[in-house]
């Protein structure tokens, strides 16, 4: 009888120990799994951030892009827009110098604007839109909204950041990721949206110039 009680006690003790130990082991495995998944996710995120989006526009598509940009920014000449597009094709995302106006009246107006030390809303808008279209490669005549759909919003964000940094350098931080996201959802040109936003929030508000 004593032996039977002893066996029962040992069995109960073992069962109790097992019930305590098993969840601990299971929890340890789960934690390790979660840690592994987290690390893989973090590495994937970092690699995606490091990816660059290059300009894929062919020479024969330049005129089509210029035509699209001209319809959105009629105040910029075709030659100036073509220079923006061609420069970006060769990896130069900085803006060309402003063309000198021919008339005395226009020259005076430009000198007045130059006192604000900035580029025009149209210049920045056109450069951003051109960069997005360039990254999408073909079907340039379909415009910037088609280009966004083709490369995806995440890639488009990287292109926008790249273009803005080339234009304004360290001041690019003034355009937040939230603004870029809203620009990509905007029904019209994302470049124009961002340029207008900056113009509305810079030192000389709503003067048609990006002041930095």
């Amino acid at each position: 009888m004593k032996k039977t009680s002893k066996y029962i006690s040992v069995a109960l003790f073992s069962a109790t120990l097992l019930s305590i130990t098993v969840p601990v082991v299971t929890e340890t495995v789960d934690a390790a799994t979660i840690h592994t998944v987290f690390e893989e996710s973090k590495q994937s995120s970092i690699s995606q951030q490091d990816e660059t989006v290059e300009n894929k526009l062919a020479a024969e598509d330049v005129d089509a892009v210029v035509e699209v940009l001209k319809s959105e920014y009629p105040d910029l000449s075709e030659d100036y827009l073509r220079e923006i597009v061609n420069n970006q094709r060769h990896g130069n995302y900085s803006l060309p110098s402003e063309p000198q106006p021919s008339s005395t009246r226009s020259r005076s107006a430009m000198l007045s604007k130059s006192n604000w030390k900035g580029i025009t809303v149209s210049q920045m808008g056109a450069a951003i839109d051109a960069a997005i279209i360039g990254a999408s490669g073909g079907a340039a005549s379909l415009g910037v909204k088609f280009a966004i759909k083709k490369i995806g919003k995440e890639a488009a964000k990287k292109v926008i950041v790249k273009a803005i940094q080339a234009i304004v350098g360290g001041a690019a931080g003034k355009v937040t990721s939230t603004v870029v996201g809203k620009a990509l959802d905007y029904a019209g040109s994302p470049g124009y949206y961002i340029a207008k936003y900056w113009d509305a929030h810079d030192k000389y508000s709503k003067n048609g110039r990006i002041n930095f």
Side-chain angles (χ1 to χ4, degrees):
M1 186 68 177
K2 289 183 178 179
K3 287 185 177 180
T4 304
S5 300
K6 183 178 180 180
Y7 291 146
I8 292 171
S9 299
V10 170
L12 288 171
F13 176 76
S14 300
T16 304
L17 182 63
L18 185 63
S19 67
I20 295 171
T21 307
V22 169
V24 172
V25 173
T26 303
E27 190 173 324
T28 303
V29 172
D30 288 344
T33 304
I34 291 169
H35 178 72
T36 302
V37 171
F38 173 76
E39 287 299 323
E40 289 177 353
S41 174
K42 187 169 67 172
Q43 289 173 5
S44 173
S45 176
I46 291 172
S47 66
Q48 287 175 1
Q49 288 175 359
D50 289 341
E51 290 176 2
T52 55
V53 184
E54 301 299 332
N55 190 294
K56 302 180 181 69
L57 192 69
E60 56 267 26
D61 291 325
V62 170
D63 287 342
V65 179
V66 170
E67 187 175 340
V68 169
L69 295 175
K70 183 65 177 174
S71 65
E72 185 69 38
Y73 306 99
D75 53 317
L76 299 178
S77 71
E78 289 187 9
D79 288 342
Y80 185 78
L81 292 171
R82 186 172 287 103
E83 191 173 357
I84 289 176
V85 175
N86 277 320
N87 284 352
Q88 290 184 1
R89 284 185 59 243
H90 296 96
N92 179 8
Y93 286 77
S94 61
L95 280 173
S97 300
E98 282 189 272
Q100 292 298 317
S102 55
S103 69
T104 303
R105 182 176 179 181
S106 298
R107 190 180 298 273
S108 298
M110 181 166 284
L111 286 172
S112 175
K113 285 185 176 181
S114 69
N115 292 332
W116 289 323
K117 297 180 181 180
I119 59 175
T120 68
V121 166
S122 290
Q123 283 176 292
M124 175 173 273
I128 292 172
D129 289 350
I132 296 172
I133 295 173
S136 73
S141 62
L142 296 178
V144 67
K145 302 304 289 186
F146 173 82
I148 293 169
K149 288 181 181 179
K150 186 173 180 181
I151 66 176
K153 287 186 178 180
E154 288 306 311
K157 285 180 181 179
K158 293 174 186 177
V159 174
I160 290 172
V161 170
K162 183 177 183 177
I164 295 176
Q165 286 177 339
I167 297 168
V168 300
K174 291 185 178 181
V175 178
T176 66
S177 58
T178 301
V179 174
V180 173
K182 288 181 178 180
L184 290 171
D185 292 331
Y186 178 56
S189 153
Y192 183 76
Y193 182 98
I194 291 170
K196 287 292 288 184
Y197 173 87
W198 193 319
D199 180 38
H201 294 84
D202 61 13
K203 186 176 181 180
Y204 301 100
S205 178
K206 299 179 182 179
N207 66 346
R209 290 241 158 187
I210 309 300
N211 306 116
F212 50 91

